[in-house]
Amino acid sequence: MENKCETNLCISCNVKNCVHHAENDTCSAGKIQVGNSSATTVKDTCCDTFKAR
């Protein structure tokens, strides 16, 4: 399946239980916030925009 976004920026997302998850495995939120300002590795980061369905 081809990923197509309506915006200039596509954010891939595989968190299917988030209200912003689009069926083409992209994020449909108008903007995203990536959290944990003290992160030092990828595993320390998280999507603060996540909202459970």
Side-chain angles (χ1 to χ4, degrees), residues 3-32:
N3 282 346
K4 290 185 178 183
C5 293
E6 298 298 323
T7 63
N8 292 333
L9 180 63
C10 293
I11 305 297
S12 295
C13 177
N14 61 3
V15 182
K16 298 186 187 319
N17 66 329
C18 179
V19 298
H20 303 294
H21 181 265
E23 64 183 53
N24 59 354
D25 285 340
T26 59
C27 180
S28 64
K31 65 178 186 174
I32 63 165

Side-chain angles (χ1 to χ4, degrees), residues 1 3-4 9 21 23 27 29 34-36 45 47 49-50 53:
M1 179 184 299
N3 282 346
K4 290 185 178 183
L9 180 63
H21 181 265
E23 64 183 53
C27 180
V34 177
N36 193 355
T45 63
C47 178
T49 308
F50 171 82
R53 287 189 190 259

